[in-house]
Amino acid sequence: MREDIEFEAEGDVLRGWLYTPDNADGPVPTVVMAHGFSAVKEMYLDKYAEKFSDNGLAALVFDNRNFGESDGEPRYEIDPWQQVRDYRHAITYALTRDEVDGNHIGVWGSSYSGGHALTVGALDNRVDAIVSQVPLTDGYHNLRRLVRPDILDGFREQFDQDRLARFNGEEPQMVPVVSEDLLGDAALPTQDSYRWFTETEEERAPNWENKVTLRTVEMLGEYSPIDYVERISPTPLLMIVAENDQLAVADKAFETYEEAHEPKRLVTIDGGHFDAYVEKFEETSTPATDWFVEHLNR
């Protein structure tokens, strides 16, 4: 069963869905979920939540602040630390629901929010199990790998100009999330990013917008979940890494896994970043489901 939900978070209302098993006769373990960079919940999070619910778990899915159906200003700005706090607000809200077993809470994240799952799991002792799928683990490293040095230098100049403009009360500067022109000023300048976002918008998520604030790109370079991964233990951690991930680069994800302490498990898929959601859905959702069932039903 799926119910529309909303909850207050530092003055803004965040909106999403609560999935519960059809045969539940009391509170059940619950997974808290949000999407990655600029994505909205309609971009396949329903499929993961349905899988969890079909296996006896509740799933609380929400749109990130400033995106989708959630409130927040400025629109289309991603502050990673605000999103981490919003995961924690979502956990707090989950604990108020009669359907939720507050002693058995999992967090799931993918791509940018895969990094949030690591960070939240390290900082919030209410979390009992973590799944981090194709995660961004080092924003500075990622930017240097994705963006040509000359374009990155141009971004830095724009960051300074945008900071002054915003100080003077002007609207934030925007950049596309993706672009067909791989040499253009896109936040995610890869071919598979352009294809996945545009195709998924057309098929599933017409409310997705191809833009983020310029400051979003600056804050991406300042965010480093790998710095927190050693703190996760003894919370059980499952990482799912795409071996050919060129967006949330695979080598850094493997390095992050090595820095994590037990208990942990690594699952790899043969494919790229976005294969996790579609072509390899069963290969990502099944181990995630098994991990939560194993560790949240203790």
Side-chain angles (χ1 to χ4, degrees):
M1 183 178 70
R2 187 176 93 180
E3 174 189 348
D4 291 339
I5 59 166
E6 61 180 41
F7 56 95
E8 194 275 337
E10 297 181 19
D12 287 316
V13 175
L14 306 186
R15 298 180 177 88
W17 303 313
L18 179 65
Y19 286 78
T20 52
D22 290 337
N23 59 352
D25 57 2
V28 295
T30 299
V31 179
V32 174
M33 312 169 57
H35 221 317
F37 193 95
S38 86
V40 294
K41 62 186 184 301
E42 290 81 5
M43 290 173 148
Y44 296 101
L45 290 199
D46 52 334
K47 291 185 63 177
Y48 287 93
E50 289 167 2
K51 179 102 173 190
F52 298 154
S53 179
D54 288 345
N55 286 271
L57 305 168
L60 193 156
V61 185
F62 66 98
D63 273 329
N64 285 306
R65 181 186 303 262
N66 306 335
F67 291 88
E69 295 181 343
S70 289
D71 293 344
E73 296 288 342
R75 298 302 290 175
Y76 314 114
E77 180 154 287
I78 304 172
D79 179 340
W81 282 106
Q82 182 65 72
Q83 292 189 348
V84 166
R85 291 195 295 273
D86 287 340
Y87 257 94
R88 302 180 78 176
H89 292 313
I91 293 171
T92 300
Y93 169 70
L95 300 183
T96 71
R97 296 291 305 228
D98 293 338
E99 304 93 332
V100 171
D101 180 351
N103 293 315
H104 298 91
I105 297 292
V107 293
W108 179 99
S110 187
S111 193
Y112 210 2
S113 69
H116 300 343
L118 298 173
T119 306
V120 173
L123 298 177
D124 198 316
N125 61 12
R126 299 174 296 179
V127 175
D128 301 294
I130 302 160
V131 174
S132 175
Q133 175 176 289
V134 292
L136 176 132
T137 63
D138 186 332
Y140 176 73
H141 178 86
N142 238 72
L143 274 181
R144 294 188 66 188
R145 289 281 292 275
L146 286 175
V147 182
R148 278 179 18 203
D150 57 325
I151 296 177
L152 188 57
D153 286 343
F155 265 139
R156 292 190 178 107
E157 293 179 7
Q158 293 177 59
F159 294 157
D160 294 339
Q161 295 167 3
D162 181 61
R163 191 179 301 278
L164 179 60
R166 291 172 70 143
F167 180 81
N168 289 327
E170 299 177 26
E171 291 295 315
Q173 184 175 338
M174 296 286 179
V175 296
V177 177
V178 295
S179 172
E180 190 172 13
D181 178 7
L182 299 183
L183 299 181
D185 287 346
L188 305 180
T190 68
Q191 188 174 37
D192 61 343
S193 298
Y194 175 78
R195 184 174 60 252
W196 185 83
F197 273 101
T198 55
E199 289 179 356
T200 307
E201 175 194 20
E202 181 177 353
E203 295 171 2
R204 299 178 60 91
N207 61 333
W208 176 76
E209 297 283 348
N210 185 21
K211 57 185 174 182
V212 290
T213 65
L214 180 64
R215 187 163 67 175
T216 289
V217 180
E218 184 177 28
M219 288 189 286
L220 167 63
E222 300 167 348
Y223 184 52
S224 187
I226 192 174
D227 294 342
Y228 292 86
V229 71
E230 289 187 350
R231 305 188 196 181
I232 290 174
S233 180
T235 304
L237 167 65
L238 172 67
M239 285 185 62
I240 302 173
V241 179
E243 293 179 340
N244 299 316
D245 197 332
Q246 302 299 314
L247 184 62
V249 290
D251 59 320
K252 205 67 181 180
F254 287 129
E255 179 184 333
T256 301
Y257 179 79
E258 290 302 318
E259 292 196 14
H261 299 303
E262 298 287 349
K264 62 181 181 178
R265 182 188 173 205
L266 176 67
V267 169
T268 61
I269 61 171
D270 179 16
H273 186 83
F274 296 100
D275 291 327
Y277 304 103
V278 188
E279 290 87 351
K280 304 290 184 177
F281 172 75
E282 288 299 328
E283 293 181 38
T284 59
S285 64
T286 297
T289 301
D290 292 345
W291 190 255
F292 285 132
V293 168
E294 175 185 357
H295 292 287
L296 296 183
N297 281 318
R298 291 179 173 178

